[in-house]
Amino acid sequence: MSVQPRTQPETEPAAPRRRTSRRPLLVRLVQLALAVVLLGAWELGAAAGVVDPFFFSRPSAIVGQVGAWVADGGIFRHLWVTLVEAMLALLIGSAAGLGVGFLLARVRVLAEVLDPYIKVLNSLPRVVLAPIFLLWFGLGIWSKVAFGFTLVFFIVFFNTYQGIREVNQVLVDNTRMLGAKESQLLRHVFLPSALSWIFSSLHVSVGFAIVGAVVGEYLGASEGIGFLISQAEGVFDTTAVFAGMVVLSIVVLLIDVVVHRGERYLLRWRPTGPADTGAN
């Protein structure tokens, strides 16, 4: 009777797995260190007179301004107005971009007919449209929503259109041979295949929706973060201007985290590679 030699369990993949698990923490530490270095250099430069605080303020003053706004409570009313405008622009623009993108990707003749018109509309400078929207919709919320819509729509549309066009035609043909209807193809083939493209556009669209709301408020409004920034610029208060930008940056980062969590949940069926392990 022969005795088979005992084999040791394979332990070689353990080291790469540990390195991969530590990578997100390392990335966060490097990001934090970079922020500390940049803000520290800015603060020291302002204290030494290398950076003129009148034009660039200083981080400590900006943090103090944000803290004063939070303690006063008035910032929340302005922030709420800006968020409502941005979210409406994001939702309406994304829904329209998804619908039109799916339609034109599936109906090639319609896409060819509308192609020059879409290119012309996309080439229009958005800032020029903002005063027109103010004339059409007034100084209320809908002029900002309309301006944000023009920024969000084309980003989502082009990503959705390309995502649908990139679906493997062999997969579509095989699914059709099994008797799938167009609605079933949309639900089980096209939508899952295009989700990566769609979420990629949403990450960018969040920032553009905020930009649309703030620019609209900057040009004409009575409340909102853009209104605060405009008022601060009117009295040359650079500290308040930078404080407004800091508040907006924090909000955009938080919303992007929410979008990323939703993406991970909806795409949990997708296999993750080394490039995905360092994601937020």
Side-chain angles (χ1 to χ4, degrees), residues 24 36 100 161 230:
V36 170
V100 178
Y161 179 80
S230 176

Side-chain angles (χ1 to χ4, degrees), residues 26-155:
L26 179 61
V27 170
R28 293 291 179 265
L29 291 176
V30 173
Q31 290 173 339
L32 180 61
L34 180 61
V36 170
V37 170
L38 292 177
L39 293 176
W42 184 1
E43 183 72 29
L44 293 175
V50 178
V51 178
D52 191 343
F54 179 78
F55 295 103
F56 298 98
S57 188
R58 59 177 66 194
S60 58
I62 295 171
V63 172
Q65 181 66 70
V66 174
W69 281 348
V70 172
D72 178 69
I75 185 65
F76 297 110
R77 176 173 61 89
H78 293 286
L79 183 59
W80 173 254
V81 172
T82 301
L83 284 178
V84 169
E85 295 166 350
M87 289 301 102
L88 285 174
L90 181 64
L91 291 175
I92 299 174
S94 298
L98 283 170
V100 178
F102 272 115
L103 177 63
L104 296 190
R106 297 298 299 145
V107 185
R108 300 295 180 88
V109 176
L110 185 61
E112 293 174 0
V113 171
L114 296 180
D115 179 68
Y117 299 98
I118 292 173
K119 290 179 179 178
V120 168
L121 292 174
N122 186 43
S123 65
L124 292 176
R126 307 299 193 274
V127 178
V128 177
L129 296 175
I132 298 177
F133 290 142
L134 288 174
L135 291 175
W136 288 354
F137 302 105
L139 297 177
I141 185 176
W142 292 110
S143 59
K144 288 74 176 177
V145 173
F147 182 63
F149 172 88
T150 63
L151 298 174
V152 172
F153 170 80
F154 288 101
I155 299 174

Side-chain angles (χ1 to χ4, degrees), residues 156-256:
V156 179
F157 164 74
F158 284 117
N159 277 269
T160 303
Y161 179 80
Q162 190 63 33
I164 298 299
R165 295 289 297 270
E166 292 290 332
V167 175
N168 192 334
Q169 189 60 39
V170 175
L171 176 62
V172 176
D173 294 337
N174 290 340
T175 309
R176 271 209 186 94
M177 290 175 60
L178 295 174
K181 300 178 181 178
E182 187 66 25
S183 59
Q184 294 172 322
L185 280 172
L186 177 64
R187 178 181 176 183
H188 299 290
V189 177
F190 290 114
L191 186 59
S193 300
L195 273 179
S196 297
W197 291 81
I198 294 170
F199 274 105
S200 177
S201 67
L202 290 179
H203 285 292
V204 181
S205 299
V206 168
F208 275 94
I210 297 287
V211 168
V214 172
V215 171
E217 293 168 351
Y218 185 86
L219 294 177
S222 58
E223 52 187 351
I225 300 297
F227 170 76
L228 282 183
I229 294 176
S230 176
Q231 293 294 104
E233 284 190 354
V235 296
F236 302 102
D237 186 0
T238 54
T239 299
V241 172
F242 279 101
M245 291 190 290
V246 168
V247 171
L248 290 175
S249 300
I250 294 173
V251 169
V252 170
L253 289 176
L254 292 176
I255 297 176
D256 186 70

